[in-house]
Amino acid sequence: MLTFMASDSEEEVCDERTSLMSAESPEGRPGPEDADSTAQWRSQDSEEDCEEDPDRYTCHGVPGQPPGLEEELTLKYGAKHVIMLFVPVTLCMVVVVATIKSVRFYTEKNGQLIYTPFTEDTPSVGQRLLNSVLNTLIMISVIVVMTIFLVVLYKYRCYKFIHGWLIMSSLMLLFLFTYIYLGEVLKSYNVAMDYPTLFLAIWNFGAVGMVCIHWKGPLLLQQAYLIVISALMALVFIKYLPEWSAWVILGAISVYDLVAVLCPKGPLRMLVETAQERNEPIFPALIYSSAMVWTVGMAKLDPSSQGALQLLYDPEMEEDSYDSFGEPSYPEAFEAPLPGYPGEEPEEEEERGVKLGLGDFIFYSVLVGKAAAAGNGDWNTTLACFIAILIGLCLTLLLLAVFKKALPALPISITFGLIFYFSTDNLVRPFMDTLASHQLYI
Amino acid sequence: MTAAVFFGCAFIAFGPALALYIFTIATDPLRVIFLIAGAFFWLVSLLLSSVFWYLVRIITDNRDGPVQKYLLIFGVLLSVCIQELFRLAYYRLLKKANEGLKSLNPEETAPSMRLLAYVSGLGFGIMSGVFSFVNTLSNSLGPGTVGIHGDSPQFFLNSAFMTLVIIMLHVFWGIVFFDGCEKSKWHIPLTVLLTHLLVSTQTLLSPHYGLNLVSAYIIMVLMGIWAFFAAGGSCRSLKFCLLCQDKDFLLYNQRSR
């Protein structure tokens, strides 16, 4: 899901809670609980943004803002937000493609996940297609069941359970998958490493990752860790999903994303609405946040900006809700509480950001990685899918700026990606190969 | 083939484009978006031309022989025409987007059409260059001997220079094309189309690299001069720039000279 961070001081919440979050697809198959949690943490805070806009301007000490200014600011920030999302998505894809092209492990077939039990090693095309559709059905139903389970847990306030679930899955990602990844990379490049060094490296990496993701940490480091775990998850999918099943699953999950985020009875929408009713933040651990929240804790003596006072209240409110989660603070919200210089003007221009769910990162990277793994050493297909996904993301962000509500980030990008993958692989590649063999340039 | 060949050819082909990107485009997010959209438009044009080529190939039943060669030539010409058509389509889209941006925030300076012409040309060029050359580049990292069957041993170098000239030509074509469309002088886009066709059909003389490359570079220089004047440059401003006497520019950058 894509959301804007309404980082302005609003009446209730001025934090990324109210920002739209990208349609997050479930994070990981091996951690099914994760998948559900990620799938559910799609917040749709569109309505809040619109309502609070006038407040935003009053908070800023500019009470008489013309209504047109809001649109202007949206547009003015629009391009910057797009780039703030392009960069991490590109980085994630680059990591995945680089790994796929250099480490042979992730393109070898070594079995399948239990969520895709039907094999694709069948003699006939029809049977293979049927098996992949069945695999997809099973996978999607697992995701739906887990999502509903998570919504139920959230509704009945079993926060500790959810929190423990998230911690377990990020532990597994940060330690186990990193260990496997590092092992394979070292094997590929034939570099020897002793166990003590390995232990030290992975321990430090994992521990800092856990702290950054679930507690506080520098924004850049947190973003880097989120990108890394998305890439690791995507690599697992690329390895363990059989060929045709992967493509059908990608298509099906975009449809599911669309339904879950936009339909009134969709699980994700219900989750977000519940979170809004309770005025609680949704878990930050599974959302990539592109910008800093405003600086909290700076006293502003200017009476016209009553929002500043509200700012000071909000953290306390949030602290309470965090305690109920068992989580000390929002990693994104309190990322950099600047020393409060009383009387100093706080940032007039708060950084508004966009949030994208980690599931979106994962599935974008799965698409591009599968295109890269498809063999033939062909880079054109990979590049075409990359550009298609970026354009899809751009269009989704444009829709976000227009509609100002949480939107699923998967459908447009994955559709473009799939169209371009199949057409480039089957139509453009023979054309370009023929041109290249005759050394013609168009 | 060695890493030296790989890096050398990669930088020959993509160095100037990378420099242009870093210094002029990467600083402004809106330009990056327009660049990627331009690349996307070129990609769609390539897709369309591949579809047509594929269909024609199926119609002629995939017979081997000279038919394939003629089909390929037809494919090249069609592809060039479709590329220029998509350049026109992108121009129309940018015009609408510009108007939309202007109406929404009149105070904010929207990017000028000239800048968008440059950005779109660069987008087309980068995508075109990358699609032509990346597979060759990745093969150059692997084992092999160039020209073992009697072909030219300078294959990689020639391809790199050809890619470079295509990228720069796309930039200049973009500027000139948009300028012609803005002033509604339709013979200008037509000239762009003709020069593009000329450059592409010249590559049919493939084994004779010398003539091919030299004429392509001459066309690039001529187009460059035309684009310079179309973008509003003049001999005077060039002189000032080269002699560092451009006082307005220096003042703006607060340097003293």
Side-chain angles (χ1 to χ4, degrees), chain A residues 72 75 378-379 438-439 441, chain B residues 29 104 107 134-135 200 206 209:
Chain A
E72 175 196 307
L75 277 178
D378 186 47
W379 286 89
H438 291 94
Q439 291 161 46
Y441 285 82
Chain B
L104 276 174
E107 309 94 46
V134 147
N135 278 334
S200 279
S206 269
Y209 285 123

Side-chain angles (χ1 to χ4, degrees), chain A residues 238-289:
Chain A
I238 294 172
K239 181 172 172 61
Y240 288 112
L241 284 181
E243 285 291 330
W244 289 21
S245 306
W247 297 113
V248 183
I249 284 176
L250 276 172
I253 208 127
S254 335
V255 173
Y256 167 70
D257 203 28
L258 197 66
V259 164
V261 174
L262 293 179
C263 285
K265 280 298 171 191
L268 300 175
R269 187 165 173 157
M270 275 172 37
L271 189 79
V272 170
E273 282 168 3
T274 318
Q276 283 174 9
E277 279 166 34
R278 297 182 191 169
N279 255 348
E280 282 167 358
I282 302 191
F283 278 113
L286 305 167
I287 314 282
Y288 176 93
S289 157

Side-chain angles (χ1 to χ4, degrees), chain A residues 71-72 75-76 79 83 86 378-380 383 387 394 420 423 427-428 431-432 434-435 438-442, chain B residues 29 40 46-47 50-51 53-54 72 76 79 104 107 130-131 134-135 138 159 162 200 203-204 206 209:
Chain A
E71 285 162 44
E72 175 196 307
L75 277 178
K76 189 154 98 181
I83 301 301
F86 272 9
D378 186 47
W379 286 89
N380 290 345
L383 284 164
I387 295 279
C394 198
F420 273 85
S423 53
L427 299 171
V428 175
F431 185 47
M432 291 306 287
T434 321
L435 286 179
H438 291 94
Q439 291 161 46
L440 295 175
Y441 285 82
I442 50 168
Chain B
F40 181 71
L46 179 68
L47 186 63
S50 311
V51 166
W53 177 75
Y54 196 76
L72 200 59
V76 166
S79 176
L104 276 174
E107 309 94 46
V130 161
F131 257 64
V134 147
N135 278 334
S138 83
S159 304
M162 196 64 208
S200 279
T203 57
L204 286 165
S206 269
Y209 285 123

Side-chain angles (χ1 to χ4, degrees), chain A residues 177-413:
Chain A
F177 287 171
T178 310
Y179 170 73
I180 295 174
Y181 178 80
L182 205 56
E184 292 306 323
V185 168
L186 291 173
K187 230 186 273 182
S188 286
Y189 288 103
N190 205 17
V191 173
M193 188 184 263
D194 52 311
Y195 272 114
T197 313
L198 187 73
F199 175 72
L200 196 69
I202 291 190
W203 170 251
N204 279 313
F205 179 81
V208 175
M210 289 303 289
V211 166
C212 273
I213 294 174
H214 292 282
W215 196 50
K216 299 181 195 174
L219 183 71
L220 213 56
L221 201 59
Q222 187 193 25
Q223 290 173 339
Y225 269 105
L226 290 175
I227 293 175
V228 163
I229 62 178
S230 307
L232 286 174
M233 206 66 244
L235 284 170
V236 166
F237 277 149
I238 294 172
K239 181 172 172 61
Y240 288 112
L241 284 181
E243 285 291 330
W244 289 21
S245 306
W247 297 113
V248 183
I249 284 176
L250 276 172
I253 208 127
S254 335
V255 173
Y256 167 70
D257 203 28
L258 197 66
V259 164
V261 174
L262 293 179
C263 285
K265 280 298 171 191
L268 300 175
R269 187 165 173 157
M270 275 172 37
L271 189 79
V272 170
E273 282 168 3
T274 318
Q276 283 174 9
E277 279 166 34
R278 297 182 191 169
N279 255 348
E280 282 167 358
I282 302 191
F283 278 113
L286 305 167
I287 314 282
Y288 176 93
S289 157
S290 64
M292 261 195 285
V293 187
W294 71 105
T295 60
V296 184
M298 285 189 123
K300 187 171 183 183
L301 302 180
D302 186 356
S304 65
S305 56
Q306 72 257 39
L309 298 172
Q310 290 160 1
L311 267 178
L312 295 174
Y313 286 125
D314 286 333
E316 286 150 41
M317 270 165 38
E318 276 153 33
E319 284 292 341
D320 294 337
S321 54
Y322 295 140
D323 288 338
S324 65
F325 283 170
E327 204 180 0
S329 72
Y330 242 103
E332 295 139 358
F334 303 115
E335 174 247 300
L338 297 185
Y341 299 109
E344 191 174 301
E345 286 267 295
E347 301 272 348
E348 275 301 327
E349 196 168 297
E350 66 267 345
E351 279 286 331
R352 288 167 48 188
V354 193
K355 288 178 162 184
L356 188 63
L358 285 195
D360 298 318
F361 278 88
I362 292 172
F363 283 101
Y364 292 161
S365 309
V366 166
L367 196 148
V368 175
K370 273 281 185 209
N376 312 314
D378 186 47
W379 286 89
N380 290 345
T381 319
T382 314
L383 284 164
C385 290
F386 168 69
I387 295 279
I389 287 180
L390 285 188
I391 292 288
L393 191 59
C394 198
L395 284 175
T396 313
L397 282 165
L398 193 68
L399 286 178
L400 187 72
V402 168
F403 288 111
K404 294 192 176 57
K405 53 186 275 196
L407 290 178
L410 279 184
I412 301 181
S413 289

